[in-house]
Amino acid sequence: MEMEKYIEGNKAAWEEAFDNRDASWGADVTERIRKEEYPFFNQETRDILKTINTEGKVIGQFCCNNGRELLSLVKSGKAKKGVGFDIAENQVAFANEKAKELGLPCEFVAANIYDIDDRYKEQFDLVIITIGALCWFEDLDRFFAIVAKCMKQGATIVINEQHPCTNMLATAGDEPYDPAHKKECHYSYFEHKWESNGGMYYMTQKSYRSKTFTDFTHSMSEIMTGMCRNGIVITGLQEFDYDISGGFAEVDRSGYPLSMIIQGRK
């Protein structure tokens, strides 16, 4: 299947960012996973994951980045196996190296999520999706169809993501941004396609003119409808006024919804 142009572009941009990563990015993965319980998850997500029996279970992660969260959960939750998918081949190679180093039963697969085939059908007891995953997919219905296909009947899903209300905010560097009115809404909640050549600062710790990243904002209704249409029953929703993206530090803990956890069951 031919990859959509925007997905192909994102693959190139992510691989470029990872090739230019700062030496500190990913340097603590092995040590923290060896020493800590559930590292790389915030407290609220950790609390939920601890209530789910993952011992001897199979866990999937879609958009796993460098693999640190899945490795953390497989180790701390004593899972039988973890499978992570990401579009960037160099990140997947890094994640597989870390799995080997840690001796953990994790497999990381370089794939366009839309193209995941039936070999993963009904494989997962638990699926996790973490910050900065949903925005890379134009069609969430199609995305959740793949996720649901890979879940066993009765499987659980935990999504810890940026809150859709952040779609409306401008951040420092955006033309409409006003430091005197940081919580003012400038963009449509419903429809927005973003294209950026500003790189991935959190990974590279430097500004550079990057290949084009294309991402899409999604409303709460789009996320929930995408889940429900594909047989995932929503069992929990928590909303928080703290930032997990690194992009909204200036309005952190000021009463504006910045992050959320959605739980579901197939």
Side-chain angles (χ1 to χ4, degrees):
M1 193 184 290
E2 194 184 341
M3 206 183 283
E4 281 99 325
K5 280 278 181 280
Y6 81 89
I7 293 177
E8 209 175 301
N10 284 337
K11 180 181 190 294
W14 273 111
E15 288 175 350
E16 177 187 50
F18 193 71
D19 281 341
N20 288 295
R21 68 190 181 280
D22 187 75
S24 64
W25 174 245
D28 60 349
V29 169
T30 305
E31 187 184 5
R32 286 193 64 189
I33 289 172
R34 279 188 180 141
K35 290 182 177 174
E36 296 175 37
E37 283 288 286
Y38 298 90
F40 308 114
F41 293 102
N42 56 50
Q43 190 59 54
E44 284 77 10
T45 306
R46 197 180 294 143
D47 289 344
I48 286 168
L49 293 171
K50 284 181 176 179
T51 69
I52 300 167
N53 178 16
T54 52
E55 193 165 348
K57 302 292 172 67
V58 182
I59 302 169
Q61 183 178 15
F62 295 83
C63 304
C64 63
N65 202 277
N66 70 359
R68 64 185 193 170
E69 293 150 343
L70 185 61
L71 290 163
S72 165
L73 181 53
V74 166
K75 189 248 179 184
S76 296
K78 300 181 175 66
K80 179 184 172 183
K81 188 181 181 182
V83 181
F85 303 98
D86 200 273
I87 201 159
E89 291 180 40
N90 49 5
Q91 294 212 74
V92 164
F94 176 93
N96 278 317
E97 274 172 38
K98 292 294 164 194
K100 202 172 172 183
E101 211 175 292
L102 287 156
L104 288 170
C106 284
E107 168 197 349
F108 295 93
V109 181
N112 172 12
I113 304 295
Y114 285 157
D115 293 343
I116 291 171
D117 61 26
D118 283 356
R119 100 185 69 161
Y120 298 101
K121 191 176 180 181
E122 297 182 1
Q123 290 294 303
F124 303 139
D125 299 286
L126 169 66
V127 163
I128 57 166
I129 293 169
T130 55
I131 175 67
L134 299 180
C135 64
W136 302 108
F137 301 92
E138 187 171 15
D139 184 348
L140 281 191
D141 194 22
R142 192 175 162 199
F143 171 78
F144 280 114
I146 299 290
V147 172
K149 174 178 79 171
C150 297
M151 293 168 73
K152 292 177 184 174
Q153 203 62 36
T156 304
I157 182 168
V158 177
I159 301 172
N160 182 209
E161 259 286 13
Q162 197 168 302
H163 198 288
C165 284
T166 58
N167 298 347
M168 298 184 285
L169 296 176
T171 55
D174 291 347
E175 199 184 323
Y177 179 73
D178 178 358
H181 302 95
K182 293 169 189 168
K183 288 191 274 187
E184 193 172 321
C185 297
H186 295 278
Y187 302 115
S188 165
Y189 175 71
F190 295 100
E191 284 178 58
H192 207 88
K193 175 181 173 182
W194 301 81
E195 287 186 346
S196 164
N197 298 96
M200 277 292 155
Y201 185 84
Y202 83 94
M203 189 180 278
T204 61
Q205 296 298 302
K206 62 188 172 203
S207 297
Y208 63 102
R209 182 165 177 79
S210 69
K211 293 177 179 177
T212 304
F213 287 97
T214 305
D215 64 292
F216 305 88
T217 58
H218 297 292
S219 62
M220 189 73 89
S221 58
E222 263 186 283
I223 297 166
M224 291 189 154
T225 303
M227 293 171 78
C228 294
R229 272 189 189 149
N230 290 291
I232 300 170
V233 177
I234 293 159
T235 58
L237 170 64
Q238 291 174 267
E239 299 168 288
F240 309 102
D241 73 342
Y242 63 80
D243 178 38
I244 58 171
S245 71
F248 302 97
E250 294 187 332
V251 291
D252 196 38
R253 299 187 188 273
S254 64
Y256 190 94
L258 296 175
S259 59
M260 62 179 185
I261 299 173
I262 304 176
Q263 292 166 263
R265 191 179 66 252
K266 180 176 169 181

